[in-house]
Amino acid sequence: MESHTGGSGVFPGGSEGAAGRSVPQIPNPALETLSKAAPPELIPYRCEDGFFRCNSTIQCIEQRQNCDGEADCDDGSDERDCDDRVGDSFWDHFFRKRPGALNDHLPFTACAWSDFNSSCKCRATEVLCDYKGLTTLPTSLPMGNVTLLDLTGNRFPVLNMNVFERLPSLDTLVLKHCSIEKIEPARTLNHIYALHLDQNKLKSLPDIFFPSGTWLRILILSGNQITKLSFENFHNLYYLIELDLRDNFIEALDESVFKQLHSLEILYLNHNRLTELAVGMFPRLMALKTLSLAQNRIHSIVPGALDLPSLEHLYLSENRLPFTANNTYRNLPNLLGLFLNDNEINYFELGSFTGINNLTTMNLKGNKFTRIDRRVLENLTSLNYIHFSEFHHCKAALHVRVCEPRGDGISSKSHLLDNPVLRTSVWVMAAVGISGNLLVLFGRYVVRTRSSQAHAEHSLYLRHLAASDLMMGIYLAIIATADIMFRGQYLLHEEEWRTSTICAFSGFLSTLSCQSSTLLLTLVTWDRLISVTRPLYQRANSKTRVILRLALLWGIAVAAAAAPFSSTEYFGPHFYGSNGVCLSIHIHDPYAMGWEYSAGLFILVNTFSLLFIGTSYLRMLQAIRVSRNETRNTLHCREKIVARRFAIIVVTDCLCWMPVIVVKLAALGGVRISPSLYAWLAVLVLPVNSALNPVLYTLTTAQFKQQLTRFFYSLPCGAVPEMNGYDSGIDSRNSLAQFNSSNGGSKRLLQRRDRQSTNTKVYEFK
């Protein structure tokens, strides 16, 4: 386990900052007592690691209590300043409003533009001629006070910018989706403020696109086919503030391309084909505040490549960065938001984030690292928001006010089982699973009966089923016990627990129980199917055959459960430790290492078993009905009881397996599964069969209850009597037979007598 030293916090506006960490620590109860006797600013203190001080009191609250929707500080300061404005800007840079959207509230009026298309709309000083089927620009444009001209959706393969000289008041020109392939530069363009040329077919820009004296502030060139840029393309754009080059085919950049853009504040280069950020690629733009390089193919950043002293937002998400090197961001002293989400980062060098001490927001979601050393983040003293894919990484960021996510639906930073109802349910399911299956084993091993060889086989199967389900109860008991051990401080022990031998054994136990139970239920169903549909079938009297069958079944189940220990290259070092409850279902990360194995176990095997069990019980019910009709039996009520019990078997199997199958398929299909649903599915739904099987297959049969009652009555005599008769829910030899019309008369009579004599017993089949 990694040791934790240092790290207290205070909310924005509080009286203590990072310097407060040098003061000796005082336990929380003492702080609360001292706060009543003296003003906070007079008391030297330091909150425990992972705790933060309230603004106007000496209270120290946990990291997870910040911005959780409930005021935990007496002054409510833990719920103030909870908007991550820097983080919210991540989505803002992906979308852009229509240029004319600001005036959507104004009414349209008739256009006094008679020689142009009369279907154009006018609104104040704006002219909207979008999607009017124009193929050429008009020869005479309207004079007057036109400030915005929107020609979106028309078709101008060759654009002559000189046409717009006749609009001296024009400040916004929109030529979006106009199929422009070539541009003829204008002689003068000093009156246009914003030029929108996005979503066209431009492969290159004119060498001297903009004449001297251009006052252009916004240039949008996104969604074209530009592959290369040169120094002349942006010559004379001294006042340009925003340049949008996203969604092009740019593979490389030269420092000279942006060298003259001294006023540039926003540069979008996302969704291009850049592969490396090298020194000299970007000039030292003193005004640049936002740089987006998201959705490229960047696999390396040379330290010193980003020398932008005013940069505040850097977007590097959805690239191919394998790690972060020392001093990569050292020349970004004013950086506030760093977005490295959805890369391939495996590790961080200790000096990865040196030099960005003003950083307030960092996003590291969607990367491949399994752990992060807290020393990597310790110099980020201003960091208020950090985002990981898994909550246990927050152990490296205990000095950060808000760390997301706060849990995975099952566990949180404080508790292995975070939901109190879920916590109680695990204990209940463990108790029911252990006690019920122990009772079955006790009853079937201690209370002995005289029975047929077929009955003995079937009873042996159910004993093994009880032993299999007992393992699930033991697994739940281990998880519930671990939850108590780590209560209130799970995050500190989380990594140690997930990588422990006990967690691996628990995962092995749950998988072994699930697979062996599934196979045994399939075997029990097959045995019953043979008993009902072929009651006169002479079974070979071989105990060895049954033992070999069970040995093969357990061998398959053990091999399936032990497979993740065999190959760490495929399964990873801690396949069962991917979550706090040590399950291999992997819904939270459906494509984790070994996902094909997990999908095979929980989808293919369960689906086959469910279909086989469902169809088998339908065939059994049909056989019972045919037999009743042929023997003219009037026990229709008992047939309903059998049908109801069969339905209960199938429904309970569906309730256990179908949710797992459906949710697993949905997760593999890219559907986001709610963490709370995953929690209930993993801890409650999956083990439900283990708790119900003893009730369905043994404890509710009349003969079992009679034998158990007689056993307890016999205890004072000190002997266990041998019972005659049948276990009416088990004896497959006395099951109802199907009538075979092709047999002879004497054999048919024997069959009828056999069916009539056993008819009242088979209806308690379960």
Side-chain angles (χ1 to χ4, degrees):
M1 290 295 294
E2 184 182 351
S3 62
H4 297 274
T5 59
S8 65
V10 64
F11 299 126
S15 59
E16 291 288 340
R21 295 175 187 162
S22 61
V23 182
Q25 179 176 337
I26 299 177
N28 287 341
L31 290 178
E32 295 178 3
T33 303
L34 287 171
S35 65
K36 301 176 182 178
E41 62 271 17
L42 299 181
I43 303 174
Y45 79 100
R46 183 178 82 156
C47 291
E48 293 182 25
D49 202 11
F51 285 77
F52 293 77
R53 183 191 172 191
C54 301
N55 278 1
S56 58
T57 68
I58 305 296
Q59 286 176 282
C60 291
I61 66 168
E62 292 183 66
Q63 182 189 61
R64 66 184 180 88
Q65 295 175 306
N66 293 324
C67 301
D68 63 350
E70 298 181 5
D72 298 287
C73 289
D74 291 342
D75 59 3
S77 56
D78 58 311
E79 298 303 317
R80 298 175 191 165
D81 301 319
C82 287
D83 294 331
D84 183 8
R85 296 180 179 86
V86 176
D88 293 342
S89 68
F90 174 76
W91 298 108
D92 295 341
H93 90 284
F94 281 110
F95 306 101
R96 178 183 298 279
K97 289 184 178 181
R98 293 182 298 106
L102 293 176
N103 291 326
D104 280 347
H105 62 286
L106 298 177
F108 289 105
T109 58
C111 292
W113 196 354
S114 58
D115 60 342
F116 199 52
N117 195 315
S118 59
S119 62
C120 294
K121 297 179 181 179
C122 294
R123 183 175 58 192
T125 60
E126 300 177 354
V127 179
L128 309 178
C129 289
D130 50 325
Y131 298 98
K132 301 305 178 185
L134 300 175
T135 56
T136 59
L137 289 168
T139 54
S140 87
L141 292 174
M143 304 294 290
N145 191 26
V146 176
T147 59
L148 183 146
L149 176 58
D150 189 344
L151 295 169
T152 297
N154 295 287
R155 191 173 184 277
F156 312 123
V158 178
L159 177 66
N160 188 339
M161 296 294 295
N162 290 316
V163 176
F164 304 105
E165 292 179 355
R166 295 177 55 84
L167 298 173
S169 300
L170 186 65
D171 61 26
T172 302
L173 176 59
V174 183
L175 293 163
K176 184 177 181 180
H177 287 291
C178 288
S179 302
I180 300 172
E181 299 177 9
K182 182 180 179 181
I183 297 178
E184 295 181 0
R187 291 182 294 269
T188 176
L189 207 62
N190 56 3
H191 56 289
I192 294 181
Y193 178 90
L195 178 58
H196 296 257
L197 291 168
D198 42 328
Q199 308 302 322
N200 284 290
K201 299 180 180 180
L202 293 170
K203 295 182 179 179
S204 61
L205 299 176
D207 287 342
I208 305 297
F209 190 177
F210 303 97
S212 178
T214 299
W215 288 77
L216 194 66
R217 300 294 196 279
I218 299 173
L219 177 58
I220 310 300
L221 291 165
S222 60
N224 281 278
Q225 302 171 19
I226 300 171
T227 58
K228 188 176 181 181
L229 296 170
S230 66
F231 168 76
E232 290 83 5
N233 293 151
F234 304 122
H235 191 59
N236 295 323
L237 293 182
Y238 304 111
Y239 305 102
L240 192 68
I241 296 175
E242 179 179 348
L243 176 59
D244 190 344
L245 289 163
R246 76 184 84 190
D247 297 307
N248 279 283
F249 303 146
I250 301 170
E251 297 181 357
L253 289 169
D254 186 84
E255 182 179 11
S256 62
V257 173
F258 307 117
K259 193 170 185 178
Q260 293 193 49
L261 303 181
H262 303 296
S263 301
L264 192 64
E265 296 182 4
I266 302 172
L267 176 58
Y268 293 138
L269 284 163
N270 38 313
H271 211 282
N272 277 277
R273 298 179 178 179
L274 300 173
T275 57
E276 183 184 27
L277 299 185
V279 177
M281 198 170 191
F282 291 96
R284 200 168 191 264
L285 300 173
M286 301 300 294
L288 192 65
K289 294 183 179 180
T290 299
L291 174 61
S292 179
L293 295 163
Q295 298 172 308
N296 277 274
R297 305 171 183 177
I298 300 171
H299 57 76
S300 66
I301 303 176
V302 178
L306 298 170
D307 187 6
L308 303 166
S310 299
L311 194 68
E312 295 180 355
H313 305 88
L314 177 59
Y315 304 100
L316 287 165
S317 56
E318 298 184 60
N319 279 286
R320 302 174 183 177
L321 295 171
F323 69 99
T324 59
N326 291 333
N327 302 313
T328 300
Y329 310 103
R330 64 184 177 187
N331 295 325
L332 305 174
N334 289 305
L335 194 65
L336 299 178
L338 177 59
F339 300 86
L340 292 166
N341 48 299
D342 300 301
N343 275 273
E344 301 174 3
I345 299 174
N346 283 300
Y347 70 94
F348 303 84
E349 294 186 358
L350 292 181
S352 295
F353 304 119
T354 300
I356 51 175
N357 298 337
N358 290 318
L359 195 72
T360 63
T361 299
M362 179 184 287
N363 194 328
L364 294 171
K365 294 173 64 176
N367 283 287
K368 296 182 177 181
F369 61 91
T370 56
R371 66 185 304 272
I372 178 171
D373 195 312
R374 67 174 304 168
R375 292 175 294 177
V376 173
L377 305 173
E378 65 182 1
N379 69 297
L380 303 178
T381 55
S382 299
L383 197 61
N384 284 326
Y385 305 91
I386 191 166
H387 303 269
F388 296 108
S389 292
E390 301 176 24
F391 76 94
H392 61 82
H393 294 311
C394 290
K395 183 172 62 174
L398 293 176
H399 63 291
V400 182
R401 185 187 178 201
V402 178
C403 182
E404 297 288 350
R406 300 172 189 268
D408 60 2
I410 299 176
S411 307
S412 68
K413 300 170 190 176
S414 297
H415 310 300
L416 193 157
L417 298 174
D418 189 51
N419 190 315
V421 179
L422 188 66
R423 197 179 301 152
T424 304
S425 300
V426 171
W427 278 111
V428 171
M429 292 294 290
V432 172
I434 292 175
S435 60
N437 287 290
L438 282 176
L439 186 58
V440 171
L441 291 173
F442 170 80
R444 291 192 176 276
Y445 276 105
V446 177
V447 182
R448 302 184 180 277
T449 64
R450 290 177 181 174
S451 59
S452 66
Q453 183 261 342
H455 166 228
E457 287 183 18
H458 197 89
S459 184
L460 182 60
Y461 293 152
L462 294 183
R463 292 176 198 169
H464 282 259
L465 179 62
S468 171
D469 293 335
L470 178 63
M471 289 188 291
M472 181 61 74
I474 295 172
Y475 156 76
L476 292 174
I478 293 174
I479 298 300
T481 303
D483 173 60
I484 291 179
M485 292 173 58
F486 305 137
R487 186 72 52 80
Q489 51 181 358
Y490 175 61
L491 187 62
L492 300 179
H493 305 281
E494 184 271 343
E495 184 179 2
E496 181 183 10
W497 161 248
R498 287 191 304 105
T499 58
S500 67
T501 304
I502 298 177
C503 181
F505 173 73
S506 300
F508 168 81
L509 207 61
S510 66
T511 303
L512 176 60
S513 175
C514 284
Q515 298 311 308
S516 60
S517 181
T518 300
L519 295 175
L520 282 163
L521 284 175
T522 305
L523 182 59
V524 168
T525 302
W526 176 80
D527 185 73
R528 288 185 167 183
L529 179 65
I530 297 299
S531 298
V532 171
T533 58
R534 302 173 65 184
L536 300 180
Y537 174 73
Q538 297 296 323
R539 296 175 184 247
N541 188 12
S542 173
K543 187 175 182 180
T544 304
R545 172 179 55 82
V546 178
I547 294 175
L548 288 176
R549 186 180 295 168
L550 288 171
L552 177 62
L553 185 149
W554 279 105
I556 294 172
V558 170
F565 302 130
S566 63
S567 174
T568 56
E569 292 183 0
Y570 174 72
F571 291 100
H574 304 291
F575 182 77
Y576 287 121
S578 65
N579 51 72
V581 292
C582 311
L583 279 178
S584 58
I585 190 171
H586 292 184
I587 290 175
H588 64 295
D589 186 9
Y591 290 101
M593 296 183 70
W595 69 270
E596 299 93 343
Y597 160 87
S598 179
L601 288 187
F602 292 100
I603 296 178
L604 296 181
V605 175
N606 286 358
T607 300
F608 170 78
S609 296
L610 189 59
L611 291 175
F612 177 78
I613 290 172
T615 54
S616 295
Y617 278 109
L618 285 175
R619 288 183 61 190
M620 283 186 265
L621 186 59
Q622 183 181 16
I624 292 172
R625 288 177 177 174
V626 170
S627 178
R628 180 177 62 83
N629 292 334
E630 290 180 350
T631 59
R632 295 179 176 83
N633 199 303
T634 59
L635 299 177
H636 184 62
C637 292
R638 291 187 178 272
E639 182 186 335
K640 289 183 177 180
I641 294 174
V642 173
R644 184 169 63 248
R645 293 175 70 83
F646 284 2
I648 291 173
I649 294 172
V650 176
V651 168
T652 52
D653 289 341
C654 286
L655 289 176
C656 174
W657 294 338
M658 279 304 295
V660 176
I661 295 170
V662 171
V663 173
K664 184 73 175 174
L665 285 172
L668 290 172
V671 178
R672 183 183 179 276
I673 305 301
S674 167
S676 58
L677 173 62
Y678 170 50
W680 287 103
L681 188 69
V683 181
L684 188 62
V685 175
L686 194 62
V688 72
N689 249 10
S690 300
L692 292 179
N693 283 340
V695 178
L696 294 176
Y697 286 86
T698 301
L699 300 182
T700 56
T701 59
Q703 190 67 21
F704 182 85
K705 290 184 284 188
Q706 292 173 6
Q707 291 173 348
L708 200 61
T709 301
R710 292 177 184 177
F711 169 76
F712 283 116
Y713 276 124
S714 69
L715 288 180
C717 300
V720 179
E722 291 186 354
M723 300 293 178
N724 292 321
Y726 299 93
D727 182 342
S728 59
I730 303 301
D731 193 349
S732 57
R733 291 288 295 166
N734 290 331
S735 299
L736 190 61
Q738 271 189 311
F739 183 74
N740 188 344
S741 59
S742 63
N743 290 339
S746 61
K747 185 176 180 180
R748 183 178 305 169
L749 179 61
L750 289 173
Q751 287 178 339
R752 286 182 180 178
R753 289 178 178 177
D754 181 68
R755 285 194 292 267
Q756 290 170 349
S757 65
T758 62
N759 206 16
T760 59
K761 297 174 182 177
V762 73
Y763 288 114
E764 294 185 18
F765 191 48
K766 242 185 126 188

